[in-house]
Amino acid sequence: EACAVDSVPALLTLEEMIERVLCHDPQVRHAWADAKYQATIVKVKQSAYLPRLRGSAGITSGHNDTPYEKNEGYSSHGHQRQLENRLGLSWVLFDFGRREAALRNAQLLLVAANAKQDNQLQEAFVMAAQLYYDALAAQGHQIASRKVTILAAENLKAADAKYAAGAAALSDRLQAQTAYSQARLNEVRSDGTLRKARGNIALRMGLRPQTPLELAGSLSRRPGTQFIKSVDDLLQQARREHPSLVAAKAKLDAAKAAIDESHAAGRPTVSFIANISEVKTNQSMAYNGDRRVRDNSVSLQLHIPLFEGFERAHLTRGAQAQFEASESDLWDVEQRISLGLWANYQTLSIETSSLESTAERVEQSSQ
């Protein structure tokens, strides 16, 4: 479904910004398309359980001219036209689990595709939230830099007056001038940082980077810490619910199903076959007239693959190699998630613990 395109609200909330980012993120759209494609593959594998019906029709026209030089009486000339209609039904009744394994493989790959989509949504969500709060931080820093510049300008004005009145040394005036210049430089940099942050948000929402944005959020409220669990609980939850792990496990199971499918493909199949055909021939040749032939048949067919040039053995070894690779990928994903979770947990703990001291420094700076 296409994303709605409308004007940006006067005050952009975090929820509105995340919705727009998710709507325009190319990786999210790509993951969604992959999931839809894999869903169609499941339908294709399910269709293998249904019968196959084939129809064909054809017309053949020809002219026959057979002259005999010594006996003109036996020469023949004629025209023949043949109409042929055929209808065939085939239905695989038993194949020693090949269709079941192929369907299981497709279903597990669909689980992996859906989990990959969930993971991409989470990554885009976190990225959008990070951009939003980075912009809020840049906005707060820009406001603080402007206040510092105003204060430095007042100090410089006072230092000029004192120096002109002979109540202050030249070094005091130069120090005030240096402080003002540094404050102006910090203000310019903070302005640039804020423009960059807002431009990143606009681009992620599918807008021009120069689009004016006003954020509705604030960093004045201190976040709570009741949501923090023990690291062991978080690791256990990640192993159960993390989309990357769900996808890796599904791919591993799908690789196992591919091995079963490869083994089953070398086994016999039993099929039901039914054919109906009608051939009508119109002839204008001597000693021949019109002819109509109808043929109806029903049979059970046993197909036994005897030798395929070792293709099946190579395919089975390839499927086994894919299974081993998927197993290694699962271990790699487990390790990366554990390392990332541990690092994020420690960062969260440190930053949470430093909130109190940061609040004290803010209070002291304000005074």
Side-chain angles (χ1 to χ4, degrees):
E1 183 178 348
C3 297
V5 179
D6 51 6
S7 59
V8 181
L11 287 177
L12 184 65
T13 64
L14 175 61
E15 293 78 9
E16 175 74 18
M17 182 260 191
I18 289 176
E19 181 181 354
R20 289 172 176 263
V21 169
L22 293 181
C23 192
H24 290 87
D25 189 274
Q27 295 298 325
V28 171
R29 298 169 74 93
H30 187 275
W32 171 237
D34 283 344
K36 290 194 295 184
Y37 168 76
Q38 194 57 45
T40 62
I41 298 299
V42 172
K43 297 296 184 182
V44 170
K45 298 303 180 181
Q46 288 174 340
S47 67
Y49 287 90
L50 301 176
R52 298 289 188 268
L53 187 63
R54 303 176 306 277
S56 63
I59 180 170
T60 304
S61 180
H63 182 75
N64 182 275
D65 188 2
T66 307
Y68 291 92
E69 296 180 357
K70 295 183 179 181
N71 193 338
E72 292 290 338
Y74 287 97
S75 298
S76 62
H77 308 276
H79 178 76
Q80 175 179 300
R81 188 179 67 173
Q82 179 174 292
L83 298 175
E84 181 178 356
N85 299 304
R86 296 185 181 275
L87 186 64
L89 173 71
S90 63
W91 193 356
V92 177
L93 302 178
F94 189 67
D95 61 356
F96 290 93
R98 180 179 183 179
R99 291 173 297 178
E100 180 184 357
L103 178 58
R104 188 166 68 254
N105 175 271
Q107 290 171 335
L108 289 169
L109 289 179
L110 176 59
V111 172
N114 287 332
K116 181 181 178 181
Q117 181 197 6
D118 291 342
N119 184 68
Q120 195 60 52
L121 283 171
Q122 289 186 13
E123 290 183 358
F125 188 100
V126 172
M127 178 270 297
Q130 184 69 48
L131 286 177
Y132 192 84
Y133 285 110
D134 284 347
L136 284 179
Q139 184 173 280
H141 191 268
Q142 190 260 357
I143 294 173
S145 298
R146 186 176 302 168
K147 290 181 178 179
V148 171
T149 301
I150 293 174
L151 180 61
E154 293 176 355
N155 291 338
L156 177 59
K157 184 178 179 180
D160 282 338
K162 289 182 180 181
Y163 177 71
L170 177 62
S171 59
D172 294 337
R173 181 186 180 282
L174 293 176
Q175 287 180 359
Q177 179 69 47
T178 302
Y180 175 74
S181 299
Q182 184 64 47
R184 283 289 301 143
L185 176 61
N186 291 336
E187 184 180 3
V188 170
R189 287 176 175 174
S190 63
D191 288 342
T193 302
L194 180 58
R195 286 195 302 270
K196 178 181 177 182
R198 288 175 173 172
N200 288 338
I201 292 177
L203 289 172
R204 289 290 185 177
M205 294 193 303
L207 305 173
R208 296 181 300 106
Q210 300 88 354
T211 304
L213 298 174
E214 290 296 331
L215 306 184
S218 172
L219 296 178
S220 59
R221 184 172 59 88
R222 194 177 305 175
T225 59
Q226 294 82 8
F227 65 93
I228 301 179
K229 303 179 182 179
S230 70
V231 67
D232 292 332
D233 293 339
L234 291 174
L235 285 172
Q236 290 297 329
Q237 184 177 359
R239 292 190 180 101
R240 292 192 311 268
E241 303 175 6
H242 197 286
S244 295
L245 271 178
V246 173
K249 291 176 181 178
K251 287 183 178 180
L252 180 64
D253 293 337
K256 180 62 171 64
I259 296 176
D260 297 338
E261 179 187 0
S262 180
H263 285 304
R267 297 166 186 162
T269 58
V270 179
S271 304
F272 172 78
I273 307 295
N275 292 289
I276 301 175
S277 65
E278 182 183 64
V279 180
K280 182 180 180 181
T281 305
N282 298 323
Q283 300 182 106
S284 60
M285 300 171 61
Y287 309 112
N288 291 288
D290 294 347
R291 183 178 61 179
R292 176 177 293 180
V293 178
R294 292 181 176 177
D295 181 22
N296 303 327
S297 64
V298 176
S299 64
L300 285 177
Q301 185 181 80
L302 176 64
H303 174 75
I304 304 176
L306 298 177
F307 182 69
E308 299 172 324
F310 303 106
E311 177 186 6
R312 187 60 46 202
H314 295 316
L315 290 175
T316 302
R317 282 197 290 268
Q320 181 64 39
Q322 288 292 332
F323 175 80
E324 295 172 0
S326 298
E327 195 173 34
S328 300
D329 289 340
L330 175 59
W331 295 340
D332 178 63
V333 170
E334 286 181 341
Q335 186 179 62
R336 285 191 289 107
I337 289 176
S338 298
L339 291 173
L341 192 149
W342 173 253
N344 291 334
Y345 183 85
Q346 295 302 322
T347 300
L348 179 62
S349 300
I350 294 172
E351 296 298 333
T352 302
S353 301
S354 64
L355 282 177
E356 291 297 329
S357 59
T358 302
E360 293 177 0
R361 292 183 61 186
V362 170
E363 179 65 23
Q364 293 168 4
S365 300
S366 300
Q367 292 176 0

PDB file of all heavy atoms in Angstrom, residues 285-316:
ATOM      1  N   MET A 285      -8.738 -37.835 -51.356  1.00  0.00           N
ATOM      2  CA  MET A 285      -7.920 -38.710 -52.188  1.00  0.00           C
ATOM      3  C   MET A 285      -8.726 -39.947 -52.582  1.00  0.00           C
ATOM      4  O   MET A 285      -9.693 -40.323 -51.921  1.00  0.00           O
ATOM      5  CB  MET A 285      -6.649 -39.131 -51.432  1.00  0.00           C
ATOM      6  CG  MET A 285      -5.773 -37.936 -51.014  1.00  0.00           C
ATOM      7  SD  MET A 285      -4.427 -38.403 -49.918  1.00  0.00           S
ATOM      8  CE  MET A 285      -3.546 -39.544 -50.991  1.00  0.00           C
ATOM      9  N   ALA A 286      -8.296 -40.557 -53.641  1.00  0.00           N
ATOM     10  CA  ALA A 286      -8.988 -41.767 -54.111  1.00  0.00           C
ATOM     11  C   ALA A 286      -8.873 -42.892 -53.099  1.00  0.00           C
ATOM     12  O   ALA A 286      -7.849 -43.035 -52.420  1.00  0.00           O
ATOM     13  CB  ALA A 286      -8.399 -42.212 -55.457  1.00  0.00           C
ATOM     14  N   TYR A 287      -9.914 -43.704 -52.984  1.00  0.00           N
ATOM     15  CA  TYR A 287      -9.995 -44.869 -52.104  1.00  0.00           C
ATOM     16  C   TYR A 287      -9.945 -44.487 -50.628  1.00  0.00           C
ATOM     17  O   TYR A 287      -9.711 -45.331 -49.770  1.00  0.00           O
ATOM     18  CB  TYR A 287      -8.875 -45.888 -52.397  1.00  0.00           C
ATOM     19  CG  TYR A 287      -8.771 -46.243 -53.841  1.00  0.00           C
ATOM     20  CD1 TYR A 287      -7.649 -45.837 -54.586  1.00  0.00           C
ATOM     21  CD2 TYR A 287      -9.782 -46.949 -54.463  1.00  0.00           C
ATOM     22  CE1 TYR A 287      -7.551 -46.159 -55.923  1.00  0.00           C
ATOM     23  CE2 TYR A 287      -9.690 -47.269 -55.826  1.00  0.00           C
ATOM     24  CZ  TYR A 287      -8.570 -46.864 -56.559  1.00  0.00           C
ATOM     25  OH  TYR A 287      -8.479 -47.166 -57.880  1.00  0.00           O
ATOM     26  N   ASN A 288     -10.082 -43.218 -50.304  1.00  0.00           N
ATOM     27  CA  ASN A 288     -10.049 -42.797 -48.895  1.00  0.00           C
ATOM     28  C   ASN A 288     -11.181 -41.813 -48.640  1.00  0.00           C
ATOM     29  O   ASN A 288     -11.560 -41.018 -49.531  1.00  0.00           O
ATOM     30  CB  ASN A 288      -8.722 -42.127 -48.523  1.00  0.00           C
ATOM     31  CG  ASN A 288      -7.578 -43.122 -48.514  1.00  0.00           C
ATOM     32  OD1 ASN A 288      -7.493 -43.949 -47.632  1.00  0.00           O
ATOM     33  ND2 ASN A 288      -6.727 -43.044 -49.534  1.00  0.00           N
ATOM     34  N   GLY A 289     -11.700 -41.829 -47.462  1.00  0.00           N
ATOM     35  CA  GLY A 289     -12.749 -40.890 -47.081  1.00  0.00           C
ATOM     36  C   GLY A 289     -12.442 -40.251 -45.745  1.00  0.00           C
ATOM     37  O   GLY A 289     -11.331 -40.349 -45.235  1.00  0.00           O
ATOM     38  N   ASP A 290     -13.423 -39.575 -45.180  1.00  0.00           N
ATOM     39  CA  ASP A 290     -13.238 -38.933 -43.875  1.00  0.00           C
ATOM     40  C   ASP A 290     -13.086 -40.000 -42.787  1.00  0.00           C
ATOM     41  O   ASP A 290     -13.636 -41.088 -42.873  1.00  0.00           O
ATOM     42  CB  ASP A 290     -14.432 -38.053 -43.558  1.00  0.00           C
ATOM     43  CG  ASP A 290     -14.518 -36.871 -44.529  1.00  0.00           C
ATOM     44  OD1 ASP A 290     -13.529 -36.651 -45.247  1.00  0.00           O
ATOM     45  OD2 ASP A 290     -15.572 -36.207 -44.562  1.00  0.00           O
ATOM     46  N   ARG A 291     -12.319 -39.606 -41.754  1.00  0.00           N
ATOM     47  CA  ARG A 291     -12.051 -40.552 -40.668  1.00  0.00           C
ATOM     48  C   ARG A 291     -12.019 -39.801 -39.347  1.00  0.00           C
ATOM     49  O   ARG A 291     -11.486 -38.701 -39.259  1.00  0.00           O
ATOM     50  CB  ARG A 291     -10.722 -41.267 -40.909  1.00  0.00           C
ATOM     51  CG  ARG A 291     -10.395 -42.329 -39.860  1.00  0.00           C
ATOM     52  CD  ARG A 291      -9.093 -43.016 -40.208  1.00  0.00           C
ATOM     53  NE  ARG A 291      -7.989 -42.047 -40.219  1.00  0.00           N
ATOM     54  CZ  ARG A 291      -6.728 -42.392 -40.474  1.00  0.00           C
ATOM     55  NH1 ARG A 291      -6.439 -43.656 -40.769  1.00  0.00           N
ATOM     56  NH2 ARG A 291      -5.786 -41.469 -40.476  1.00  0.00           N
ATOM     57  N   ARG A 292     -12.580 -40.416 -38.297  1.00  0.00           N
ATOM     58  CA  ARG A 292     -12.560 -39.832 -36.963  1.00  0.00           C
ATOM     59  C   ARG A 292     -12.120 -40.909 -35.971  1.00  0.00           C
ATOM     60  O   ARG A 292     -12.686 -41.998 -35.942  1.00  0.00           O
ATOM     61  CB  ARG A 292     -13.935 -39.292 -36.574  1.00  0.00           C
ATOM     62  CG  ARG A 292     -13.992 -38.761 -35.144  1.00  0.00           C
ATOM     63  CD  ARG A 292     -15.346 -38.176 -34.816  1.00  0.00           C
ATOM     64  NE  ARG A 292     -15.593 -36.964 -35.589  1.00  0.00           N
ATOM     65  CZ  ARG A 292     -16.705 -36.242 -35.495  1.00  0.00           C
ATOM     66  NH1 ARG A 292     -17.668 -36.642 -34.663  1.00  0.00           N
ATOM     67  NH2 ARG A 292     -16.873 -35.156 -36.226  1.00  0.00           N
ATOM     68  N   VAL A 293     -11.095 -40.545 -35.160  1.00  0.00           N
ATOM     69  CA  VAL A 293     -10.545 -41.495 -34.187  1.00  0.00           C
ATOM     70  C   VAL A 293     -10.615 -40.861 -32.800  1.00  0.00           C
ATOM     71  O   VAL A 293     -10.130 -39.744 -32.596  1.00  0.00           O
ATOM     72  CB  VAL A 293      -9.082 -41.864 -34.523  1.00  0.00           C
ATOM     73  CG1 VAL A 293      -8.521 -42.816 -33.480  1.00  0.00           C
ATOM     74  CG2 VAL A 293      -8.978 -42.471 -35.910  1.00  0.00           C
ATOM     75  N   ARG A 294     -11.213 -41.567 -31.867  1.00  0.00           N
ATOM     76  CA  ARG A 294     -11.280 -41.129 -30.468  1.00  0.00           C
ATOM     77  C   ARG A 294     -10.504 -42.102 -29.598  1.00  0.00           C
ATOM     78  O   ARG A 294     -10.588 -43.311 -29.795  1.00  0.00           O
ATOM     79  CB  ARG A 294     -12.723 -41.047 -29.992  1.00  0.00           C
ATOM     80  CG  ARG A 294     -13.526 -39.948 -30.658  1.00  0.00           C
ATOM     81  CD  ARG A 294     -14.934 -39.902 -30.116  1.00  0.00           C
ATOM     82  NE  ARG A 294     -15.690 -38.792 -30.686  1.00  0.00           N
ATOM     83  CZ  ARG A 294     -16.981 -38.563 -30.414  1.00  0.00           C
ATOM     84  NH1 ARG A 294     -17.634 -39.369 -29.582  1.00  0.00           N
ATOM     85  NH2 ARG A 294     -17.591 -37.538 -30.989  1.00  0.00           N
ATOM     86  N   ASP A 295      -9.769 -41.533 -28.641  1.00  0.00           N
ATOM     87  CA  ASP A 295      -8.935 -42.374 -27.769  1.00  0.00           C
ATOM     88  C   ASP A 295      -9.074 -41.870 -26.334  1.00  0.00           C
ATOM     89  O   ASP A 295      -8.791 -40.716 -26.042  1.00  0.00           O
ATOM     90  CB  ASP A 295      -7.471 -42.308 -28.215  1.00  0.00           C
ATOM     91  CG  ASP A 295      -6.571 -43.180 -27.360  1.00  0.00           C
ATOM     92  OD1 ASP A 295      -7.083 -44.121 -26.734  1.00  0.00           O
ATOM     93  OD2 ASP A 295      -5.353 -42.899 -27.315  1.00  0.00           O
ATOM     94  N   ASN A 296      -9.533 -42.727 -25.425  1.00  0.00           N
ATOM     95  CA  ASN A 296      -9.652 -42.421 -23.993  1.00  0.00           C
ATOM     96  C   ASN A 296      -8.838 -43.441 -23.212  1.00  0.00           C
ATOM     97  O   ASN A 296      -8.921 -44.650 -23.495  1.00  0.00           O
ATOM     98  CB  ASN A 296     -11.115 -42.459 -23.534  1.00  0.00           C
ATOM     99  CG  ASN A 296     -11.993 -41.499 -24.321  1.00  0.00           C
ATOM    100  OD1 ASN A 296     -11.533 -40.450 -24.728  1.00  0.00           O
ATOM    101  ND2 ASN A 296     -13.236 -41.891 -24.547  1.00  0.00           N
ATOM    102  N   SER A 297      -8.053 -42.954 -22.252  1.00  0.00           N
ATOM    103  CA  SER A 297      -7.216 -43.888 -21.482  1.00  0.00           C
ATOM    104  C   SER A 297      -7.066 -43.410 -20.055  1.00  0.00           C
ATOM    105  O   SER A 297      -7.070 -42.206 -19.781  1.00  0.00           O
ATOM    106  CB  SER A 297      -5.834 -44.037 -22.132  1.00  0.00           C
ATOM    107  OG  SER A 297      -5.127 -42.812 -22.104  1.00  0.00           O
ATOM    108  N   VAL A 298      -6.953 -44.359 -19.126  1.00  0.00           N
ATOM    109  CA  VAL A 298      -6.710 -44.098 -17.712  1.00  0.00           C
ATOM    110  C   VAL A 298      -5.628 -45.047 -17.250  1.00  0.00           C
ATOM    111  O   VAL A 298      -5.679 -46.243 -17.573  1.00  0.00           O
ATOM    112  CB  VAL A 298      -7.985 -44.273 -16.864  1.00  0.00           C
ATOM    113  CG1 VAL A 298      -7.677 -44.093 -15.386  1.00  0.00           C
ATOM    114  CG2 VAL A 298      -9.064 -43.303 -17.298  1.00  0.00           C
ATOM    115  N   SER A 299      -4.644 -44.524 -16.468  1.00  0.00           N
ATOM    116  CA  SER A 299      -3.543 -45.404 -16.055  1.00  0.00           C
ATOM    117  C   SER A 299      -2.920 -44.904 -14.766  1.00  0.00           C
ATOM    118  O   SER A 299      -3.089 -43.750 -14.378  1.00  0.00           O
ATOM    119  CB  SER A 299      -2.477 -45.475 -17.157  1.00  0.00           C
ATOM    120  OG  SER A 299      -1.878 -44.203 -17.354  1.00  0.00           O
ATOM    121  N   LEU A 300      -2.216 -45.806 -14.114  1.00  0.00           N
ATOM    122  CA  LEU A 300      -1.344 -45.465 -12.992  1.00  0.00           C
ATOM    123  C   LEU A 300       0.091 -45.596 -13.480  1.00  0.00           C
ATOM    124  O   LEU A 300       0.467 -46.614 -14.063  1.00  0.00           O
ATOM    125  CB  LEU A 300      -1.578 -46.382 -11.800  1.00  0.00           C
ATOM    126  CG  LEU A 300      -2.835 -46.140 -10.975  1.00  0.00           C
ATOM    127  CD1 LEU A 300      -2.949 -47.193  -9.879  1.00  0.00           C
ATOM    128  CD2 LEU A 300      -2.807 -44.753 -10.346  1.00  0.00           C
ATOM    129  N   GLN A 301       0.886 -44.565 -13.220  1.00  0.00           N
ATOM    130  CA  GLN A 301       2.246 -44.544 -13.748  1.00  0.00           C
ATOM    131  C   GLN A 301       3.241 -44.533 -12.592  1.00  0.00           C
ATOM    132  O   GLN A 301       3.135 -43.729 -11.660  1.00  0.00           O
ATOM    133  CB  GLN A 301       2.451 -43.305 -14.624  1.00  0.00           C
ATOM    134  CG  GLN A 301       3.814 -43.266 -15.307  1.00  0.00           C
ATOM    135  CD  GLN A 301       3.949 -42.017 -16.139  1.00  0.00           C
ATOM    136  OE1 GLN A 301       4.241 -40.934 -15.627  1.00  0.00           O
ATOM    137  NE2 GLN A 301       3.694 -42.136 -17.432  1.00  0.00           N
ATOM    138  N   LEU A 302       4.202 -45.420 -12.663  1.00  0.00           N
ATOM    139  CA  LEU A 302       5.287 -45.487 -11.683  1.00  0.00           C
ATOM    140  C   LEU A 302       6.565 -44.994 -12.340  1.00  0.00           C
ATOM    141  O   LEU A 302       7.013 -45.554 -13.342  1.00  0.00           O
ATOM    142  CB  LEU A 302       5.474 -46.924 -11.186  1.00  0.00           C
ATOM    143  CG  LEU A 302       6.650 -47.154 -10.219  1.00  0.00           C
ATOM    144  CD1 LEU A 302       6.443 -46.393  -8.920  1.00  0.00           C
ATOM    145  CD2 LEU A 302       6.845 -48.643  -9.955  1.00  0.00           C
ATOM    146  N   HIS A 303       7.117 -43.928 -11.760  1.00  0.00           N
ATOM    147  CA  HIS A 303       8.352 -43.350 -12.307  1.00  0.00           C
ATOM    148  C   HIS A 303       9.489 -43.650 -11.330  1.00  0.00           C
ATOM    149  O   HIS A 303       9.430 -43.275 -10.154  1.00  0.00           O
ATOM    150  CB  HIS A 303       8.206 -41.840 -12.492  1.00  0.00           C
ATOM    151  CG  HIS A 303       9.472 -41.168 -12.922  1.00  0.00           C
ATOM    152  ND1 HIS A 303       9.971 -41.261 -14.210  1.00  0.00           N
ATOM    153  CD2 HIS A 303      10.347 -40.383 -12.237  1.00  0.00           C
ATOM    154  CE1 HIS A 303      11.093 -40.573 -14.291  1.00  0.00           C
ATOM    155  NE2 HIS A 303      11.344 -40.030 -13.111  1.00  0.00           N
ATOM    156  N   ILE A 304      10.512 -44.324 -11.835  1.00  0.00           N
ATOM    157  CA  ILE A 304      11.653 -44.702 -10.991  1.00  0.00           C
ATOM    158  C   ILE A 304      12.917 -44.101 -11.597  1.00  0.00           C
ATOM    159  O   ILE A 304      13.338 -44.515 -12.685  1.00  0.00           O
ATOM    160  CB  ILE A 304      11.805 -46.231 -10.897  1.00  0.00           C
ATOM    161  CG1 ILE A 304      10.506 -46.866 -10.389  1.00  0.00           C
ATOM    162  CG2 ILE A 304      12.979 -46.594  -9.988  1.00  0.00           C
ATOM    163  CD1 ILE A 304      10.542 -48.370 -10.359  1.00  0.00           C
ATOM    164  N   PRO A 305      13.533 -43.118 -10.946  1.00  0.00           N
ATOM    165  CA  PRO A 305      14.801 -42.577 -11.451  1.00  0.00           C
ATOM    166  C   PRO A 305      15.944 -43.556 -11.161  1.00  0.00           C
ATOM    167  O   PRO A 305      16.268 -43.827  -9.998  1.00  0.00           O
ATOM    168  CB  PRO A 305      14.962 -41.265 -10.674  1.00  0.00           C
ATOM    169  CG  PRO A 305      14.173 -41.462  -9.429  1.00  0.00           C
ATOM    170  CD  PRO A 305      13.048 -42.394  -9.759  1.00  0.00           C
ATOM    171  N   LEU A 306      16.526 -44.088 -12.223  1.00  0.00           N
ATOM    172  CA  LEU A 306      17.585 -45.092 -12.067  1.00  0.00           C
ATOM    173  C   LEU A 306      18.977 -44.464 -12.073  1.00  0.00           C
ATOM    174  O   LEU A 306      19.815 -44.789 -11.230  1.00  0.00           O
ATOM    175  CB  LEU A 306      17.463 -46.138 -13.174  1.00  0.00           C
ATOM    176  CG  LEU A 306      16.157 -46.941 -13.180  1.00  0.00           C
ATOM    177  CD1 LEU A 306      16.126 -47.897 -14.361  1.00  0.00           C
ATOM    178  CD2 LEU A 306      15.977 -47.688 -11.867  1.00  0.00           C
ATOM    179  N   PHE A 307      19.226 -43.588 -13.014  1.00  0.00           N
ATOM    180  CA  PHE A 307      20.559 -42.978 -13.097  1.00  0.00           C
ATOM    181  C   PHE A 307      20.418 -41.579 -13.680  1.00  0.00           C
ATOM    182  O   PHE A 307      19.794 -41.384 -14.726  1.00  0.00           O
ATOM    183  CB  PHE A 307      21.501 -43.818 -13.961  1.00  0.00           C
ATOM    184  CG  PHE A 307      22.905 -43.265 -14.038  1.00  0.00           C
ATOM    185  CD1 PHE A 307      23.726 -43.276 -12.932  1.00  0.00           C
ATOM    186  CD2 PHE A 307      23.372 -42.702 -15.221  1.00  0.00           C
ATOM    187  CE1 PHE A 307      25.009 -42.760 -12.996  1.00  0.00           C
ATOM    188  CE2 PHE A 307      24.654 -42.188 -15.299  1.00  0.00           C
ATOM    189  CZ  PHE A 307      25.476 -42.216 -14.178  1.00  0.00           C
ATOM    190  N   GLU A 308      20.966 -40.581 -12.973  1.00  0.00           N
ATOM    191  CA  GLU A 308      20.866 -39.184 -13.403  1.00  0.00           C
ATOM    192  C   GLU A 308      22.240 -38.544 -13.526  1.00  0.00           C
ATOM    193  O   GLU A 308      22.393 -37.338 -13.353  1.00  0.00           O
ATOM    194  CB  GLU A 308      20.014 -38.390 -12.404  1.00  0.00           C
ATOM    195  CG  GLU A 308      18.596 -38.904 -12.273  1.00  0.00           C
ATOM    196  CD  GLU A 308      17.841 -38.220 -11.148  1.00  0.00           C
ATOM    197  OE1 GLU A 308      18.479 -37.929 -10.111  1.00  0.00           O
ATOM    198  OE2 GLU A 308      16.634 -37.973 -11.309  1.00  0.00           O
ATOM    199  N   GLY A 309      23.241 -39.365 -13.818  1.00  0.00           N
ATOM    200  CA  GLY A 309      24.584 -38.821 -13.963  1.00  0.00           C
ATOM    201  C   GLY A 309      25.157 -38.276 -12.670  1.00  0.00           C
ATOM    202  O   GLY A 309      25.909 -37.298 -12.697  1.00  0.00           O
ATOM    203  N   PHE A 310      24.807 -38.876 -11.531  1.00  0.00           N
ATOM    204  CA  PHE A 310      25.282 -38.464 -10.209  1.00  0.00           C
ATOM    205  C   PHE A 310      24.800 -37.060  -9.817  1.00  0.00           C
ATOM    206  O   PHE A 310      25.302 -36.465  -8.867  1.00  0.00           O
ATOM    207  CB  PHE A 310      26.815 -38.505 -10.118  1.00  0.00           C
ATOM    208  CG  PHE A 310      27.405 -39.847 -10.433  1.00  0.00           C
ATOM    209  CD1 PHE A 310      28.058 -40.056 -11.634  1.00  0.00           C
ATOM    210  CD2 PHE A 310      27.275 -40.912  -9.551  1.00  0.00           C
ATOM    211  CE1 PHE A 310      28.593 -41.288 -11.942  1.00  0.00           C
ATOM    212  CE2 PHE A 310      27.820 -42.149  -9.850  1.00  0.00           C
ATOM    213  CZ  PHE A 310      28.468 -42.346 -11.054  1.00  0.00           C
ATOM    214  N   GLU A 311      23.807 -36.521 -10.561  1.00  0.00           N
ATOM    215  CA  GLU A 311      23.297 -35.196 -10.236  1.00  0.00           C
ATOM    216  C   GLU A 311      22.676 -35.169  -8.848  1.00  0.00           C
ATOM    217  O   GLU A 311      22.884 -34.230  -8.075  1.00  0.00           O
ATOM    218  CB  GLU A 311      22.256 -34.774 -11.277  1.00  0.00           C
ATOM    219  CG  GLU A 311      21.611 -33.429 -10.980  1.00  0.00           C
ATOM    220  CD  GLU A 311      20.490 -33.107 -11.947  1.00  0.00           C
ATOM    221  OE1 GLU A 311      20.137 -33.974 -12.768  1.00  0.00           O
ATOM    222  OE2 GLU A 311      19.960 -31.983 -11.867  1.00  0.00           O
ATOM    223  N   ARG A 312      21.921 -36.195  -8.508  1.00  0.00           N
ATOM    224  CA  ARG A 312      21.226 -36.207  -7.227  1.00  0.00           C
ATOM    225  C   ARG A 312      22.210 -36.226  -6.067  1.00  0.00           C
ATOM    226  O   ARG A 312      22.019 -35.554  -5.047  1.00  0.00           O
ATOM    227  CB  ARG A 312      20.304 -37.429  -7.177  1.00  0.00           C
ATOM    228  CG  ARG A 312      19.400 -37.483  -5.959  1.00  0.00           C
ATOM    229  CD  ARG A 312      18.482 -36.299  -5.876  1.00  0.00           C
ATOM    230  NE  ARG A 312      17.855 -36.021  -7.169  1.00  0.00           N
ATOM    231  CZ  ARG A 312      17.353 -34.869  -7.503  1.00  0.00           C
ATOM    232  NH1 ARG A 312      17.430 -33.855  -6.664  1.00  0.00           N
ATOM    233  NH2 ARG A 312      16.796 -34.694  -8.688  1.00  0.00           N
ATOM    234  N   ALA A 313      23.299 -36.985  -6.210  1.00  0.00           N
ATOM    235  CA  ALA A 313      24.296 -37.050  -5.144  1.00  0.00           C
ATOM    236  C   ALA A 313      24.956 -35.689  -4.938  1.00  0.00           C
ATOM    237  O   ALA A 313      25.178 -35.246  -3.800  1.00  0.00           O
ATOM    238  CB  ALA A 313      25.346 -38.108  -5.461  1.00  0.00           C
ATOM    239  N   HIS A 314      25.251 -35.005  -6.041  1.00  0.00           N
ATOM    240  CA  HIS A 314      25.873 -33.682  -5.925  1.00  0.00           C
ATOM    241  C   HIS A 314      24.913 -32.674  -5.297  1.00  0.00           C
ATOM    242  O   HIS A 314      25.323 -31.837  -4.476  1.00  0.00           O
ATOM    243  CB  HIS A 314      26.313 -33.198  -7.305  1.00  0.00           C
ATOM    244  CG  HIS A 314      27.393 -34.040  -7.925  1.00  0.00           C
ATOM    245  ND1 HIS A 314      28.486 -34.493  -7.215  1.00  0.00           N
ATOM    246  CD2 HIS A 314      27.541 -34.523  -9.184  1.00  0.00           C
ATOM    247  CE1 HIS A 314      29.281 -35.207  -8.007  1.00  0.00           C
ATOM    248  NE2 HIS A 314      28.713 -35.241  -9.213  1.00  0.00           N
ATOM    249  N   LEU A 315      23.637 -32.746  -5.683  1.00  0.00           N
ATOM    250  CA  LEU A 315      22.659 -31.833  -5.099  1.00  0.00           C
ATOM    251  C   LEU A 315      22.494 -32.086  -3.603  1.00  0.00           C
ATOM    252  O   LEU A 315      22.331 -31.139  -2.819  1.00  0.00           O
ATOM    253  CB  LEU A 315      21.314 -31.982  -5.808  1.00  0.00           C
ATOM    254  CG  LEU A 315      21.246 -31.461  -7.250  1.00  0.00           C
ATOM    255  CD1 LEU A 315      19.892 -31.788  -7.866  1.00  0.00           C
ATOM    256  CD2 LEU A 315      21.505 -29.964  -7.288  1.00  0.00           C
ATOM    257  N   THR A 316      22.530 -33.340  -3.204  1.00  0.00           N
ATOM    258  CA  THR A 316      22.408 -33.667  -1.782  1.00  0.00           C
ATOM    259  C   THR A 316      23.601 -33.146  -0.999  1.00  0.00           C
ATOM    260  O   THR A 316      23.447 -32.589   0.106  1.00  0.00           O
ATOM    261  CB  THR A 316      22.281 -35.181  -1.599  1.00  0.00           C
ATOM    262  OG1 THR A 316      21.144 -35.656  -2.325  1.00  0.00           O
ATOM    263  CG2 THR A 316      22.119 -35.551  -0.141  1.00  0.00           C
TER     264      THR A 316
END
